[in-house]
């Protein structure tokens, strides 16, 4: 699957959001990149704001445009709030769940773990990052992958920071349960999904 391979810190500075995990560089320079980054005074149009929000969400979850749009269409067909459903679908992806459980330090690393057959879902091998995890599903790191230093390091950091409320993780056993689909209030407030819905619904 195609993925973004360009400069990550530059993108995070553009949206003033750590899109690819924590960034100390972003803390030192919380303004857009470029020589005019600190002096932008032109007011953005509504369309520009909505487009920027869509791009920010797309990079945040590591998706290309076609795949992201497919998630929007699925959310639009579902009952309830399209924006909230969109976020819930994205958070229910296997790579997102693996990331939230602390097995990968970033979503990109979590996606790689899934692709490299390091993860089991209810005891069965699943190597599709977009696989939709259901409430009650158990995610386990395969026995042969538990010795990887990057997984151990990621889990240590996750334990220090704390886990999100919709997963239950047993770090010593390298497994966790996806308890429920997250409510909107439990998700990042830095994302304004209503702008994304407005953009696509025009």
């Amino acid at each position: 699957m195609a993925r973004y391979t360009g400069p990550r810190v530059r993108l995070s500075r553009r949206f003033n959001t750590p899109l690819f995990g924590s960034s100390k560089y972003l803390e030192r320079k919380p303004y857009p990149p470029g020589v005019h980054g600190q002096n932008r005074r032109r007011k953005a149009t509504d369309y520009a704001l909505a487009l920027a929000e869509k791009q920010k969400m797309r990079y945040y979850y590591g998706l290309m445009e076609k795949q992201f749009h497919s998630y929007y269409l699925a959310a639009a067909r579902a009952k309830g709030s399209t924006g909230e459903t969109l976020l819930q679908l994205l958070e229910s992806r296997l790579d997102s769940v693996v990331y939230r459980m602390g097995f990968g330090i970033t979503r990109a690393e979590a996606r790689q773990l899934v692709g490299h057959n390091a993860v089991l879902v209810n005891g069965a091998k699943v190597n599709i990052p977009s696989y939709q995890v259901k409430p009650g599903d158990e995610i386990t790191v395969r026995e042969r992958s538990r010795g990887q230093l990057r997984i151990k390091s990621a889990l240590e950091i996750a334990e220090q920071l704390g886990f999100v409320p919709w997963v239950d993780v047993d770090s010593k056993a390298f497994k966790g349960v996806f308890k429920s689909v997250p409510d909107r209030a439990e998700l990042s407030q830095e994302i304004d999904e209503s702008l994304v819905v407005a953009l696509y619904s025009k």
Side-chain angles (χ1 to χ4, degrees), residues 98-184:
V98 169
Y99 165 68
R100 293 297 193 181
M101 288 183 174
F103 301 140
I105 195 68
T106 64
R107 277 191 174 82
E109 187 172 279
R111 183 177 297 112
Q112 189 178 64
L113 290 175
V114 174
H116 288 179
N117 298 311
V119 173
L120 303 176
V121 179
N122 298 325
K125 181 177 68 176
V126 178
N127 59 5
I128 303 172
S130 61
Y131 175 87
Q132 286 288 304
V133 181
K134 299 178 180 62
D137 283 351
E138 182 180 79
I139 312 301
T140 310
V141 177
R142 294 184 72 180
E143 188 75 38
R144 68 181 188 184
S145 300
R146 296 179 185 180
Q148 294 186 29
L149 292 178
R150 62 173 177 170
I151 297 178
K152 293 180 178 179
S153 177
L155 270 173
E156 289 178 3
I157 294 174
E159 285 184 310
Q160 293 173 10
L161 296 176
F163 298 100
V164 292
W166 60 90
V167 300
D168 186 17
V169 181
D170 183 345
S171 301
K172 294 182 180 179
F174 290 89
K175 66 180 181 180
V177 175
F178 185 64
K179 296 193 299 183
S180 62
V181 176
D183 294 328
R184 178 63 186 95

Side-chain angles (χ1 to χ4, degrees), residues 22 35 58 64 66 92 137 166 168 189:
S22 60
V35 294
R58 190 167 68 78
M64 303 303 286
K66 185 177 181 180
S92 298
D137 283 351
W166 60 90
D168 186 17
Q189 301 303 309

Side-chain angles (χ1 to χ4, degrees), residues 81-95:
S81 168
T82 298
E84 182 174 353
T85 302
L86 173 60
L87 287 172
Q88 290 173 336
L89 286 172
L90 295 173
E91 285 290 345
S92 298
R93 285 171 52 97
L94 180 55
D95 55 358

Side-chain angles (χ1 to χ4, degrees), residues 15 46-56 195 199:
F15 296 112
D46 291 342
Y47 175 79
L49 290 173
L51 180 60
E53 198 65 23
K54 186 262 291 184
Q55 296 291 73
K56 181 171 73 174
L195 291 178
L199 178 70

